[in-house]
Each structure stands twice: as structure tokens, then as C-alpha cells.
């Protein structure tokens, strides 16, 4: 699940970001995308990476109206607020496109259950919290990883990221996996280069979004997009490791 928080001040959103991350949810808090959205300068293809848009309480009702006019029918919209709106006010906003309300002091369990409840209430959504229905992706639609275009280091990097897909892996641990140590400054530099080249090659292969996420302070992790795009099984893992 991917969540975008639209806000005027990303520092204000830190508590909410931390709660979402504790639920293992990918989250981006952005003031830049808010400005671009309001001026109609951000392609909807970029926003379509996210399943849920949370509109911060730093955003006025007038700005919220503009956001809803632009994307209200395309995404699950959650409005963050310091109070639960009155029944009439709530119905008015829900008519405009607000799907859920999030109190600023929402507990972690409350946030979890609210997202889960939203998924269950809207049975037309795909599996996953608040995701709009997408064309069913069949296994045969996935493609083979372009191993022929990857260097040995890039294959080792990819193999490690696939094997640790459930959690970020630190730069030090990556270096140990690939070279056996993490003390060399040159290894740290090479890691960045390998990640950059691997991202570019997968992008050239047709992956629309960045498939290798950087979790600041934690390390690197493959995004769900990678596993939706490529076939990953034991045979493929053997091919990645051997290069055959």
C-alpha cells in the first residue's frame, strides 16, 4: 500500500508518517506535490502510484475542494482533522469526494482499523487498503527480468534485495553480502553506482516507477511494483545468481 500525504508542512506530519511506517505502509509526505496539484502541473500518472491520499489539516477547506475536483474520483481521499465534522458537514464533504476522516490524535490501532474498515466497506476496491479497482493482473502478463543486461554486481544486488523484500536492508549489510565487508569507502560509493544503474536498466525495461525505494536511515528495499512487473520464482533466483 502506498500513501501520499498532501501538506503545507512536512514536519507537522512526522507523527502520522511514523505510524503509517510502523504498519509497513509506504508513505510520502509532500508540499511540492500539493502545489503542483493545485496548479495542475503534476501528471495523474505520478499520483496513480499511490492508493490513498491523506489531506493534512494544514490544508484549508478551499484547497481541499480544489484537490477533490482534480482527483476526488480517482483516489481514496482521507481528510485529517482535529474534530469529527457534524453530520450535515460530513455528508457534504463525502458527496464531494472525501472517503474517510482521520483525527490528529488517532492511535496506531485506530489508524490500522480505520484503513482496514475502509477496505472492507468498499468491496469494489482491490485487495489492499483503499486501492481503486485495477485490471486484474494475470501471472502470464508479468515479464522476465532482463538478466542479460545486468552485470554480476547488479545481479548480486538484485538477488539480495529480492531475498530481503519484506524489510529494508542497510548499505553496510548490502556491502557485506556483495563484497564480504563494509569497511571500504569505495564499496559505499560503488553501492550507489550499482543502485543507480540497476534502477535505470529496469526503467528502460518498462517499469514506470522507481522499483528500488530508499528508506532514509534504514536502507534499500524493492517496491511492490517490481513484484507486480516481473516473474520471481526459484528458477529465476537461480538464474540471477548464476547469470545463466
Amino acid at each position: 500500500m502506498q500513501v501520499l500525504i498532501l501538506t503545507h508542512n512536512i514536519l507537522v506530519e512526522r507523527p502520522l508518517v511514523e505510524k503509517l511506517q510502523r504498519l509497513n505502509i509506504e508513505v510520502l509526505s509532500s508540499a511540492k506535490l500539493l502545489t503542483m496539484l493545485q496548479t495542475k502541473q503534476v501528471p495523474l500518472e505520478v499520483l496513480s502510484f499511490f492508493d490513498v491520499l491523506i489531506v493534512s489539516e494544514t490544508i484549508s477547506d478551499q484547497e481541499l475542494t480544489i484537490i477533490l475536483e482534480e482527483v476526488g474520483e480517482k483516489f481514496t481521499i482521507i481528510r485529517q482533522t482535529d474534530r469529527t465534522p457534524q453530520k450535515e458537514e460530513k455528508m457534504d464533504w463525502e458527496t464531494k469526494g472525501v472517503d474517510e476522516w482521520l483525527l490528529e490524535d488517532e492511535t496506531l490501532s485506530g489508524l490500522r482499523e480505520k484503513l482496514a474498515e475502509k477496505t472492507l466497506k468498499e468491496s469494489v476496491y482491490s485487495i489492499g487498503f483503499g486501492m481503486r479497482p485495477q485490471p486484474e493482473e494475470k501471472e502470464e502478463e508479468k515479464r522476465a527480468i532482463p538478466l542479460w543486461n545486468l552485470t554480476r554486481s547488479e545481479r548480486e544486488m538484485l538477488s539480495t534485495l529480492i531475498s530481503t523484500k519484506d524489510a529494508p536492508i542497510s548499505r553496510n549489510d548490502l556491502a557485506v553480502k556483495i563484497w564480504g565487508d563494509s569497511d571500504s569507502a569505495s564499496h559505499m560509493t560503488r553501492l550507489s553506482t550499482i543502485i543507480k544503474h540497476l534502477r535505470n536498466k529496469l526503467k528502460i525495461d518498462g517499469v514506470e516507477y522507481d522499483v528500488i525505494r530508499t528508506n532514509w536511515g534504514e536502507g534499500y528495499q524493492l517496491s511492490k511494483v517490481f513484484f507486480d512487473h516481473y516473474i520471481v520464482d526459484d528458477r529465476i533466483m537461480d538464474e540471477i545468481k548464476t547469470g545463466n
Side-chain angles (χ1 to χ4, degrees), residues 6-7 10 29-38 41-42:
L6 296 175
T7 181
I10 61 174
S29 178
S30 177
K32 180 65 174 179
L33 283 179
L34 170 63
T35 302
M36 294 177 68
L37 181 60
Q38 291 172 325
Q41 294 179 344
V42 56

Side-chain angles (χ1 to χ4, degrees), residues 55-59 61 79-86 89 101-106:
V55 181
S56 168
E57 61 180 337
T58 63
I59 294 174
D61 287 348
R79 173 58 156 165
Q80 190 178 26
T81 180
D82 59 354
R83 64 173 179 83
T84 302
Q86 297 296 320
E89 179 186 9
W101 304 87
L102 184 65
L103 296 178
E104 62 178 355
D105 59 350
E106 193 75 60

Side-chain angles (χ1 to χ4, degrees), residues 4 21 31 51 109 133 136 162 173 182 188 202 209 211 220 244:
L4 171 62
Q21 289 176 336
D51 307 313
S109 59
E136 183 178 351
I162 291 175
D173 289 345
S182 61
M188 293 296 102
L202 294 177
Y209 302 107
V211 295
Y220 297 109
N244 298 324

Side-chain angles (χ1 to χ4, degrees), residues 69-81:
E69 290 174 350
E70 286 298 305
V71 300
E73 295 181 357
K74 299 178 178 67
F75 301 94
T76 295
I77 306 292
I78 297 180
R79 173 58 156 165
Q80 190 178 26
T81 180

